[in-house]
Amino acid sequence: MLRCIHLMADGNPKLRILSMNVLKEGCLTLENETNLLLPIVHKIWTSLMKRFHDNHAIVVEKAFDLLTVLSKVAGNFIRQRASSEIIPPLVLFLTRGATVSASASKSYKYLTSYRVQKRLLKEIGPLCIQMGLLSQSLRPVINVLVMYLDNSQPEGLQQASMSSIEIIWTLDPGSTWALLINHLSDSDIQCIYSQRLVKPFEIIQVYYHPIERHKDLNVKLQNISILLNKLHEISDEITK
């Protein structure tokens, strides 16, 4: 495994991928051997962090795979470092990806970049839950997810983003609500809510107007409207 850690920085992307696959399986094997596992995780960390800045999307995906395994087998050990060292490059990767996928042609969904974006968008929410991230670390994640709600993004990426936002809501409903609302203008809020001033934990009916009836209601507003409906329903169930 120590040799594989060294190979994570190899110039050949195939070797970087293979090394992370081996490390992933090795860490799963050592899950119950804490004394052996944690020193290995510590040694993996620096090289893993660099892979999130890799130029190859598939390498970033494999790094995410390895991070997911580490959060499973050594979540408490890596939690603080993950929020400060891994979340920023993940958010940066998705932010840069959003500029590429925005208004991309229909063929974009057949590219590796699309597949990796979609997977990260869908799984970053569960990862945040697994690591128990706090509000400060969640904010940039929520903001980048909201970027993908825009009508310029492929529908698959919009849906993946919405899925993670719903999951993050269960971890921090207040911040999620506030950041969603922050992306709306006063007129947008009036379109969505039955009253101008609302509180985040009030269970208020959110109005969703069909796009054909409101031509000025763009897809991003529509997605946020749908999300707020779902999130308030979740809150309603929790408070029953």
Side-chain angles (χ1 to χ4, degrees), residues 80-120:
Q80 185 173 356
R81 297 183 71 180
S83 61
S84 61
E85 298 176 19
I86 291 295
I87 293 301
L90 264 178
V91 168
L92 179 61
F93 176 83
L94 289 171
T95 301
R96 289 175 174 171
T99 63
V100 176
S101 56
S103 303
S105 64
K106 292 183 179 180
S107 62
Y108 182 74
K109 66 181 180 180
Y110 299 108
L111 300 180
T112 300
S113 298
Y114 172 85
R115 178 176 59 78
V116 174
Q117 276 177 279
K118 184 177 180 180
R119 184 179 173 199
L120 294 188

Side-chain angles (χ1 to χ4, degrees), residues 134-136 138-139 142 169 172-180 201:
L134 301 176
S135 296
Q136 187 174 359
L138 289 174
R139 287 169 188 159
I142 297 169
W169 169 274
D172 190 343
S175 292
T176 307
W177 183 91
L179 289 170
L180 284 173
F201 297 106

Side-chain angles (χ1 to χ4, degrees), residues 173-189:
S175 292
T176 307
W177 183 91
L179 289 170
L180 284 173
I181 291 297
N182 191 49
H183 285 270
L184 302 175
S185 66
D186 286 346
S187 59
D188 289 337
I189 294 173

Side-chain angles (χ1 to χ4, degrees), residues 20 29 33 35 58 116 136-137 139 167 198 200 236 238:
M20 286 187 282
T29 302
E33 303 291 339
N35 291 336
I58 193 169
V116 174
Q136 187 174 359
S137 301
R139 287 169 188 159
I167 291 170
V198 293
D236 201 9
I238 292 173

Side-chain angles (χ1 to χ4, degrees), residues 7-200:
L7 290 174
M8 286 174 69
D10 192 88
N12 187 336
K14 290 183 179 180
L15 278 179
R16 298 201 293 274
I17 291 169
L18 287 172
S19 66
M20 286 187 282
N21 283 338
V22 173
L23 288 169
K24 182 176 68 173
E25 295 302 321
C27 288
L28 287 171
T29 302
L30 294 174
E31 182 174 3
N32 297 321
E33 303 291 339
T34 306
N35 291 336
L36 295 174
L37 174 66
L38 297 186
I40 291 291
V41 172
H42 177 71
K43 292 178 184 296
I44 288 172
W45 193 258
T46 300
S47 294
L48 175 63
M49 185 174 63
K50 292 177 181 178
R51 297 285 63 79
F52 284 102
H53 296 279
D54 203 282
N55 292 327
H56 295 80
I58 193 169
V59 175
V60 176
E61 181 183 29
K62 291 301 177 181
F64 187 82
D65 283 343
L66 181 53
L67 174 64
T68 301
V69 168
L70 296 186
S71 69
K72 177 180 181 293
V73 301
N76 292 332
F77 184 69
I78 69 169
R79 180 173 293 117
Q80 185 173 356
R81 297 183 71 180
S83 61
S84 61
E85 298 176 19
I86 291 295
I87 293 301
L90 264 178
V91 168
L92 179 61
F93 176 83
L94 289 171
T95 301
R96 289 175 174 171
T99 63
V100 176
S101 56
S103 303
S105 64
K106 292 183 179 180
S107 62
Y108 182 74
K109 66 181 180 180
Y110 299 108
L111 300 180
T112 300
S113 298
Y114 172 85
R115 178 176 59 78
V116 174
Q117 276 177 279
K118 184 177 180 180
R119 184 179 173 199
L120 294 188
L121 287 168
K122 187 173 183 179
E123 296 187 14
I124 197 169
L127 179 67
C128 290
I129 293 287
Q130 195 168 9
M131 293 193 298
L133 297 186
L134 301 176
S135 296
Q136 187 174 359
S137 301
L138 289 174
R139 287 169 188 159
V141 175
I142 297 169
N143 280 327
V144 77
L145 289 172
V146 172
M147 287 179 62
Y148 282 89
L149 299 181
D150 195 80
N151 58 327
S152 64
Q153 296 294 334
E155 185 176 353
L157 301 186
Q158 294 177 36
Q159 295 301 319
S161 177
M162 291 175 73
S163 174
S164 272
I165 291 174
E166 288 181 45
I167 291 170
I168 291 174
W169 169 274
T170 65
L171 186 62
D172 190 343
S175 292
T176 307
W177 183 91
L179 289 170
L180 284 173
I181 291 297
N182 191 49
H183 285 270
L184 302 175
S185 66
D186 286 346
S187 59
D188 289 337
I189 294 173
Q190 285 181 308
C191 284
I192 294 176
Y193 283 98
S194 59
Q195 58 189 46
R196 179 70 176 272
L197 299 176
V198 293
K199 297 179 181 179

